[in-house]
Amino acid sequence: MRLAIDVRAALDPRRTGVGHYAQQLVRHIPHADPDDEFVAWYLHARGVFRSRRFFADGGAPNLTEDAARFPARVFEPLSARLGIPRLEWFLDFDALLATNFLPPATRSRSVVMVVHDLAFRVFPDTAPQIDERWLRRFRGWLSNAARVIVPSHAAQDDLCAMEEVDPDKIVVIPHGVDAEGIRSAGAKRVEAARKRLGLDRPYLLFVGGIEPRKNLPALVHAFARLDEETTLVIAGGKVRWFPDAADRLREVVEALPEPVRRRVILAGYVSEGDKLGLLAGARGVVYPSLYEGFGFPVLEGMAARVPVLTSNVSSLPEVAGDAAILVDPHDEGAIVRGLDELLHDEDLRERLIAAGLARAARFTWEDTSRRTAGVLREVASEGGG
């Protein structure tokens, strides 16, 4: 069978969680299912003049790449408004995995959608890119897609509560974490990241895009109430759909008293190497988000042997289990108390580190890929056309 994967999000130079998911999946799924052929499909207008392979380092003989020679600024509006060009104009496939909510235009019904979260419904004011046309397409595909993959039972519950969708077509497949890659960050990488950011003291780390649901003003205010010399590093850049959030966060930080303000570092988007170094060197990972469909940084902190604080809402307790400090993200006092425990309760820290390693080991890209390949094969065998 020929199974296509839309990996456009993986090629974003500033990948967020969806891009990370697409990148990891396309690297692992051919090995999880060596009997089928996989095609990584993406847009690459520059390939007209010079072709390039983006996933050759995966070393899988059953993975090929197919680049549509269209600029995204042309392809996206045409696809959204006119339903052309269609994917089958570019390649033959038996089933398609749409890794970023909506698939490219196609008349095939052998489509598996991945719905990462319902943030655009829970916080509609922070998702201005979601207009009525997008919602119509989304709801149309919820009806027409052969399967819908979600990364958590919390996301499944949200989808069933907020949209009309056949619950029998929803499949829960948690994302993975590259625990081995994260643990490979050595002392040199830690030191390089610390030097780049001027970190000369212990620090807490937040990793993620800067958007309202990440609850960063509350985190900053809670951190400001701690009486100590720890630094807070916020590693993440503006998101295209709500760039004002980063500016608002900067205003919150600049309004802090000077002794606190100098201990809050807005690092912006960091490279993968620096992210690994920051994770490995952190005193703790803090992620008090208001809403997540999954929550990659929780597992990344655990895999890095770092204790984690996160929220007790949406998917986060499901991902964290008993291996993190869980706090009410709406209660600043609860965040303060949690941060204090994370920093100073050594018995708790040791327990969380051990529990976190065991927890992270349960979420592998091999398992995610094997289960996803099974869904694609099942859909392909049904022959939805």
Side-chain angles (χ1 to χ4, degrees):
M1 292 181 179
R2 199 160 196 252
L3 308 175
I5 304 174
D6 179 356
V7 296
R8 287 176 290 173
L11 301 187
D12 191 324
R14 295 195 167 194
R15 282 190 300 269
T16 56
V18 175
H20 179 66
Y21 163 79
Q23 181 198 43
Q24 291 292 339
L25 192 75
V26 79
R27 293 187 186 282
H28 287 87
I29 200 169
H31 300 286
D33 178 15
D35 295 330
D36 289 306
E37 179 186 356
F38 291 88
V39 183
W41 178 84
Y42 50 86
L43 300 174
H44 188 43
R46 294 180 182 178
V48 170
F49 305 104
R50 185 175 65 179
S51 96
R52 175 184 174 186
R53 291 194 65 194
F54 289 92
F55 305 102
D57 59 342
N62 59 329
L63 174 67
T64 58
E65 300 181 30
D66 197 303
R69 313 304 187 188
F70 272 86
R73 66 179 182 274
V74 175
F75 185 93
E76 299 295 350
L78 283 176
S79 179
R81 290 175 172 80
L82 303 177
I84 56 172
R86 292 192 289 274
L87 184 60
E88 48 267 39
W89 294 6
F90 304 110
L91 73 158
D92 295 323
F93 58 93
D94 297 300
L96 165 68
L97 183 69
T99 59
N100 189 11
F101 295 87
L102 297 181
T106 177
R107 286 183 175 170
S108 174
R109 298 298 178 89
S110 297
V111 172
V112 178
M113 290 175 72
V114 182
V115 176
H116 297 273
D117 58 59
L118 273 292
F120 58 90
R121 291 296 309 277
V122 179
F123 296 100
D125 291 344
T126 67
Q129 81 281 14
I130 305 299
D131 57 17
E132 284 301 318
R133 180 183 287 111
W134 191 96
L135 284 172
R136 284 195 300 271
R137 293 172 64 207
F138 176 72
R139 287 163 181 159
W141 275 112
L142 283 181
S143 175
N144 293 330
R147 300 289 189 279
V148 179
I149 290 175
V150 293
S152 64
H153 291 283
Q156 179 185 37
D157 293 343
D158 290 341
L159 185 59
C160 291
M162 298 179 192
E163 297 291 345
E164 292 185 10
V165 58
D166 179 358
D168 291 337
K169 70 165 61 174
I170 301 175
V171 185
V172 179
I173 303 179
H175 299 333
V177 62
D178 181 13
E180 184 177 344
I182 290 172
R183 287 196 295 270
S184 69
K188 288 185 178 179
R189 183 164 275 174
V190 174
E191 184 57 32
R194 292 182 70 104
K195 184 176 181 180
R196 256 187 284 278
L197 294 181
L199 290 168
D200 57 2
R201 66 186 77 194
Y203 62 91
L204 298 171
L205 176 67
F206 168 91
V207 178
I210 309 303
E211 54 180 313
R213 66 186 170 98
K214 302 301 182 179
N215 204 28
L216 291 171
L219 173 61
V220 168
H221 287 141
F223 175 78
R225 291 169 57 180
L226 296 174
D227 183 19
E228 57 184 273
E229 287 300 304
T230 305
T231 294
L232 173 63
V233 177
I234 298 176
K238 293 182 178 182
V239 295
R240 285 188 292 272
W241 54 91
F242 206 92
D244 290 350
D247 297 327
R248 294 176 187 177
L249 177 62
R250 187 170 297 279
E251 291 173 2
V252 169
V253 173
E254 290 175 350
L256 295 172
E258 195 278 333
V260 181
R261 185 172 65 246
R262 63 183 173 81
R263 294 190 289 111
V264 179
I265 296 179
L266 300 179
Y269 185 87
V270 298
S271 69
E272 187 66 16
D274 277 350
K275 185 182 86 168
L276 294 179
L278 289 171
L279 281 167
R283 181 73 175 165
V285 166
V286 289
Y287 200 70
S289 177
L290 296 171
Y291 177 83
E292 296 293 329
F294 187 69
F296 281 119
V298 171
L299 292 179
E300 290 173 338
M302 292 175 179
R305 298 186 176 91
V306 172
V308 174
L309 175 147
T310 191
S311 299
N312 63 0
V313 299
S314 65
S315 66
L316 294 165
E318 183 180 337
V319 173
D322 62 355
I325 297 173
L326 300 179
V327 300
D328 180 352
H330 302 280
D331 183 345
E332 187 179 301
I335 300 174
V336 174
R337 292 188 293 274
L339 293 175
D340 186 67
E341 286 185 313
L342 188 70
L343 288 167
H344 301 299
D345 189 332
E346 292 300 330
D347 290 339
L348 176 62
R349 286 177 53 81
E350 290 181 12
R351 183 184 71 76
L352 291 178
I353 290 170
L357 282 170
R359 186 71 179 172
R362 296 174 59 181
F363 294 83
T364 68
W365 285 114
E366 290 77 13
D367 183 62
T368 302
S369 299
R370 176 182 55 78
R371 295 169 64 181
T372 303
V375 173
L376 284 169
R377 285 197 308 272
E378 189 176 73
V379 167
S381 67
E382 292 171 358

